[in-house]
């Protein structure tokens, strides 16, 4: 691997990948993660966030180390040598007699620093969300998001998909379900001005934050065939579970001219995406940090699933209801499984965790349970859709073949205002197409084993809570 | 180049890159861009949006071509042969006698289809924003956005930067400048419910759409050193120029431990980014489409700039004022250039287009003109910042060294509510750091020669205007 031409000094990760010869002096900048001072010697671990492990630094005597405390930022010059210790391949030897230097760039009062060495509660870290990326878990989650997005982007590029930026502000209010945030009206005059005029809609009509990019992606897919986005979505949901955020990132893809096997073609594509993008990351150092204190059984279930050469389990909604009804007497669900009713969380978990013991695509739900845009099957009571249920997370992906038949769609959309443009997509050279959506934080949760998705996003927002 | 394992049938772009042998039959799906019917023969160009050129299809006699009109979506099977014509390397020969087939998947009434073959006005296409990606210009712009984002992502990865998703919803109201959209309060009960309670803040405090991700990126940069994002930003600006959108995408980067040469290190990095990501695209087929009717002089200025091995011009704000003052008597600006006043658009254009004839970094503006977070220079009246001005676009990038000295910053932020977390970043292991922001649509405008940034984003929003 040839080192890239850097516009900035090398990071610790760069240095460990391309270690300079020890005859050269090496300068490293970062934050002290731990320090142990002995009589003639001090050991510190310095991290710059570029890699999970950090760099061990050995200070020989004669240096002023008084202000070197946890969290302080420093610039250190020494020689990078092979480490005699077992924990690391290299360490930085700082010897004043050999032009070694240390500079404290930013002090950190160890008494008041919110990121103490001992175990910190999740709540304490949420309260200090501006500093929590200093912990190794949150830093590993940030790098995992980066890695996974890069994997996903490469995969879609290979498959001929174009990344698109569809709008966040939309006239679509999610069918009035009350889940969309609405923008406040704006003063026509600056508030400091003398004569205020009554507030008005900035866009001349009500504006909402999008709950999904699907409809806009469909418009692009009827022109450039394969499009996807990884974009923020918003739900004004009061739900306070560990699986919901008011602002989250969603991976959504739409493509025209799908494979001929209906919803199973959509399942095939999403399964290939998930396996091919996550399997290469399972052994990464960041995932080792995240799974360190995790549940070994959970990790094995994940690893078996993404490394499996066999297709994941598939069953229709009707088959799922049948299985659930059979087990109900002994399992005693809170909600009795009934055809035509939504699957509850307890049902989904049982299907993935107990019945299958891995991911399962549940396909062909009753039309009455699903939105207008899903394609009606020939039985005229189910639609060509699926939910992908995975152990410990629940629904990870929802997708479907979209209804391309304009007569059927018009009937379903009679009550939806402003739907002309969506019907136009079918009226003028409409094409069979399909798509799916996946909550990106749920994917991070599944891959990292971090249960609560508030720890799967840098700065979480939920009902009543928005720091920074 | 080995073809990737595809989860979907090959696109036209895939087929042209890896043409199957003519003994195999090939199926292509797409939309008819043009069709010319002769007595025993018909020629059509079919596009699936994967490449600018489309595929020429030759229909031999015996096929029912009646419904093959512009905009119709079709699936065509034939043999891909080397084209005897000069416009393309390959063409698809469809001969019924040789198992050739054509199926119309979606008809398109040529009388009412909004995307007619003749030149369409920009306004007409804005009114039909759901269909305008069917035009070759808008499709090329969409692919250019995709390509440029991939270039940018690779560049930052090489430089050790981590891609981060900072929040859109924030408590920060851009210092009350009235430019931030605010979220409306929410009903505590569903509107259909009987007893309504008074509306309240969903997050228990006022919430705004972010105007910049910088402050949040700074928090992450004090933990993982190098971070960037390409994220939506929002301004409730009434300005209706071709350079402003209410919703736009911004590339923002922050990094700790920058090079030692102050603002010039920040200029170096942004110049490397722009040259290294855009130069490889200048000869791409999509840019040839976009520049086809463009201004040759403008294109040469762009190409000279991004291919130049010499650094771009740099001058301080004070030097710029000096140059502007010298030329003012003959140039007769509307606004007299005066030290301490903002540079006006006319000034910026003259500097980039006339004085320099290329990009120019203007550095070290008066502190009074710039926000609180920029680092005060030792003259105590200017800050270590720059604006990058480019011909025909104006300001493309703004960046600075950030103020890391907590005493100086505290004084400047006395009136800013809720700034404790931002000061904490300096108080606990603060580190020297720098960053910049670039409007992505302005970059697209510069690279594509498309003047109005409403044509540089799939679905533009501006004051009074939000379709879909």
């Amino acid at each position: 691997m040839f080192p890239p031409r850097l516009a900035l000094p090398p990071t610790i990760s760069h240095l460990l990948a391309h270690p300079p010869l020890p005859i050269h002096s090496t300068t490293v900048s970062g934050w002290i993660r731990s320090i142990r001072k002995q009589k003639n010697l001090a050991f510190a671990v310095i991290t710059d966030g570029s890699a999970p492990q950090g760099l061990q630094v050995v200070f020989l005597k004669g240096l002023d180390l008084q202000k070197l405390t946890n969290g302080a930022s420093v610039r250190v010059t020494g020689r990078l040598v092979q480490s005699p210790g077992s924990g690391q391949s290299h360490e930085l030897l700082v010897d004043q007699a050999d032009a070694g230097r240390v500079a404290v760039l930013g002090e950190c009062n160890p008494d008041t620093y919110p990121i103490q060495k001992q175990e910190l509660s999740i709540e304490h870290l949420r309260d200090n969300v501006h500093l929590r990326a200093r912990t190794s878990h949150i830093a590993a989650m940030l790098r995992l998001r980066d890695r996974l997005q890069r994997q996903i982007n490469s995969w879609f590029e290979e498959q001929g998909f174009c990344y698109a930026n569809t709008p966040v502000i939309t006239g679509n209010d999610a069918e009035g379900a009350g889940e969309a945030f609405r923008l406040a009206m704006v003063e026509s005059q600056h508030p400091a001005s003398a004569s205020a005029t009554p507030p008005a809609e900035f866009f001349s009509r009500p504006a909402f934050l999008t709950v999904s990019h699907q409809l806009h992606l469909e418009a692009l897919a009827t022109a450039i065939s394969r499009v996807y986005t990884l974009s923020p979505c918003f739900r004004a949901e009061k739900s306070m579970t560990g699986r919901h955020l008011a602002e989250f990132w969603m991976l959504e893809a739409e493509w025209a001219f799908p494979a001929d096997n209906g919803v199973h073609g959509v399942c095939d594509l999403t399964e290939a995406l998930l396996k091919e993008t996550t399997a290469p990351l399972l052994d990464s150092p960041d995932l080792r940090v995240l799974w360190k204190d995790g549940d070994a059984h959970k990790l094995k279930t994940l690893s078996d699933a993404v490394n499996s050469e066999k297709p994941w389990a598939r069953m229709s909604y009707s088959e799922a209801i049948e299985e659930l009804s059979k087990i109900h007497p002994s399992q005693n669900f809170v909600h009795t499984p009934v055809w035509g009713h939504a699957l509850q969380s307890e049902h989904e978990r049982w299907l993935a965790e107990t019945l299958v013991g891995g991911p399962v695509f549940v396909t062909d739900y009753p039309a009455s349970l699903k939105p207008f845009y899903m394609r009606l099957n020939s039985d005229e009571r189910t639609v060509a859709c699926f939910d992908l249920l995975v152990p410990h997370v629940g629904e990870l992906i929802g997708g479907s073949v979209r209804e391309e038949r304009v007569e059927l769609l018009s009937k379903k959309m009679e009550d939806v205002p402003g739907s002309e443009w969506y019907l136009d997509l079918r009226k003028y050279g409409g094409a069979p197409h399909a798509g799916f959506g996946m909550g990106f934080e749920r994917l991070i949760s599944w891959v990292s084993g971090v249960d609560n998705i508030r720890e799967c996003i840098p700065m979480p927002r939920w009902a009543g809570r928005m720091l920074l």
Side-chain angles (χ1 to χ4, degrees), chain A:
Chain A
M1 212 174 25
F2 191 74
R5 203 175 65 174
L6 292 181
L8 292 172
T11 60
I12 289 174
S13 169
H14 287 134
L15 285 172
L16 293 177
H18 310 284
L21 293 176
I23 54 160
H24 300 296
S25 83
T26 294
T27 296
V28 168
S29 301
W31 292 268
I32 294 185
R33 180 181 281 174
S34 67
I35 185 157
R36 192 157 44 90
K37 296 174 189 171
Q38 297 176 354
K39 204 175 166 193
N40 290 319
L41 210 63
F43 294 93
V45 174
I46 291 184
T47 175
D48 63 2
S50 64
Q53 65 268 33
L55 181 67
Q56 170 150 300
V57 182
V58 183
F59 296 102
L60 300 180
K61 66 176 172 180
L63 293 158
D64 178 9
L65 306 180
Q66 205 198 326
K67 289 177 176 170
L68 267 62
T69 58
N70 280 341
S73 80
V74 292
R75 186 171 52 225
V76 178
T77 302
R79 299 194 188 278
L80 198 65
V81 298
Q82 296 215 323
S83 174
S86 63
Q88 57 279 322
S89 67
H90 288 77
E91 61 187 24
L92 192 72
L93 215 58
V94 185
D95 182 354
Q96 199 181 19
D98 185 31
R101 283 190 307 281
V102 54
V104 175
L105 303 176
E107 300 178 23
C108 187
N109 183 338
D111 298 330
T112 56
Y113 186 40
I115 310 297
Q116 295 289 323
K117 255 191 300 187
Q118 71 268 28
E119 189 84 18
L120 298 164
S121 78
I122 282 183
E123 275 308 331
H124 174 82
L125 290 173
R126 286 180 190 160
D127 289 342
N128 289 280
V129 68
H130 59 301
L131 293 172
R132 73 175 186 167
R134 303 264 188 109
T135 65
S136 52
H137 265 72
I138 297 290
M141 176 273 289
L142 291 169
R143 287 186 300 263
L144 174 63
R145 288 181 68 102
D146 168 280
R147 289 298 329 144
L148 206 41
Q149 292 196 30
R150 293 185 193 279
Q151 292 281 114
I152 289 169
N153 284 328
S154 301
W155 192 89
F156 276 109
E157 183 182 19
E158 273 199 353
Q159 304 295 328
F161 279 75
C162 181
Y163 182 86
N165 297 128
T166 39
V168 163
I169 298 177
T170 174
N172 193 330
D173 70 344
E175 298 154 71
E179 282 191 358
F181 285 104
R182 183 173 172 165
L183 295 189
M185 306 226 259
V186 295
E187 308 285 333
S188 308
Q189 305 270 324
H190 191 278
S193 139
S195 63
T197 51
E201 295 287 358
F202 182 86
F203 295 106
S204 314
R205 63 190 189 112
F208 303 87
L209 299 190
T210 199
V211 299
S212 154
H213 295 262
Q214 177 194 323
L215 307 185
H216 294 104
L217 286 176
E218 283 186 71
L220 300 177
T222 56
I224 50 171
S225 296
R226 300 181 190 178
V227 289
Y228 76 106
T229 196
L230 185 50
S231 284
C233 293
F234 305 85
R235 297 235 171 119
E237 256 186 316
K238 289 283 164 60
S239 156
M240 305 272 271
T241 78
R243 296 176 59 222
H244 293 91
L245 293 166
E247 173 176 342
F248 56 101
W249 285 71
M250 187 124 88
L251 176 74
E252 293 177 278
E254 292 289 322
W255 57 98
F257 316 114
D260 280 338
N261 56 343
V263 68
H264 287 284
V266 193
C267 298
D268 292 343
L269 186 133
T270 55
E271 184 172 335
L273 164 72
L274 282 177
K275 285 179 169 175
E276 292 167 22
T277 57
T278 58
L281 298 182
L282 283 198
D283 279 331
S284 70
D286 283 316
L287 275 185
R288 284 202 293 275
V289 168
L290 290 165
W291 279 100
K292 194 162 58 87
D293 308 312
D295 172 337
H297 171 70
K298 233 168 103 176
L299 177 57
K300 186 168 182 316
T301 313
L302 167 72
S303 157
D304 286 351
V306 302
N307 287 313
S308 167
E309 297 200 359
K310 285 199 301 187
W312 290 342
R314 294 185 193 184
M315 61 174 66
S316 69
Y317 166 88
S318 300
E319 288 163 346
I321 290 290
E322 212 171 292
E323 293 288 350
L324 288 162
S325 302
K326 265 195 279 182
I327 200 72
H328 179 47
S330 62
Q331 189 72 18
N332 215 355
F333 294 118
V334 177
H335 302 87
T336 307
V338 180
W339 202 99
H341 290 213
L343 295 185
Q344 301 296 318
S345 212
E346 55 176 346
H347 304 147
E348 297 182 341
R349 294 195 60 159
W350 181 82
L351 289 168
E353 290 165 28
T354 307
L355 181 66
V356 171
V360 52
F361 290 97
V362 179
T363 66
D364 303 288
Y365 283 68
S368 58
L369 293 178
K370 292 290 182 181
F372 62 85
Y373 50 72
M374 295 190 174
R375 193 177 200 277
L376 194 64
N377 285 326
S378 54
D379 64 11
E380 294 193 0
R381 56 179 212 149
T382 62
V383 285
C385 73
F386 73 86
D387 281 357
L388 173 65
L389 312 177
V390 301
H392 311 292
V393 171
E395 186 199 327
L396 178 61
I397 301 190
S400 78
V401 182
R402 314 307 191 189
E403 186 59 80
E404 88 283 11
R405 293 163 294 185
V406 70
E407 337 64 73
L408 282 178
L409 197 61
S410 309
K411 235 177 279 170
K412 278 173 147 187
M413 293 187 81
E414 264 168 7
D415 305 329
V416 184
S419 57
E420 294 75 17
W421 71 266
Y422 192 71
L423 293 171
D424 267 7
L425 303 181
R426 278 76 177 167
K427 210 166 127 190
Y428 298 115
H433 64 290
F436 69 82
M438 168 168 62
F440 187 63
E441 285 74 27
R442 289 195 186 173
L443 176 62
I444 295 290
S445 168
W446 186 46
V447 173
S448 66
V450 173
D451 282 331
N452 196 313
I453 61 172
R454 294 172 189 171
E455 273 63 61
C456 294
I457 192 169
M459 289 153 191
R461 277 92 178 81
W462 67 91
R465 182 79 165 183
M466 173 199 45
L467 294 184
L468 316 193

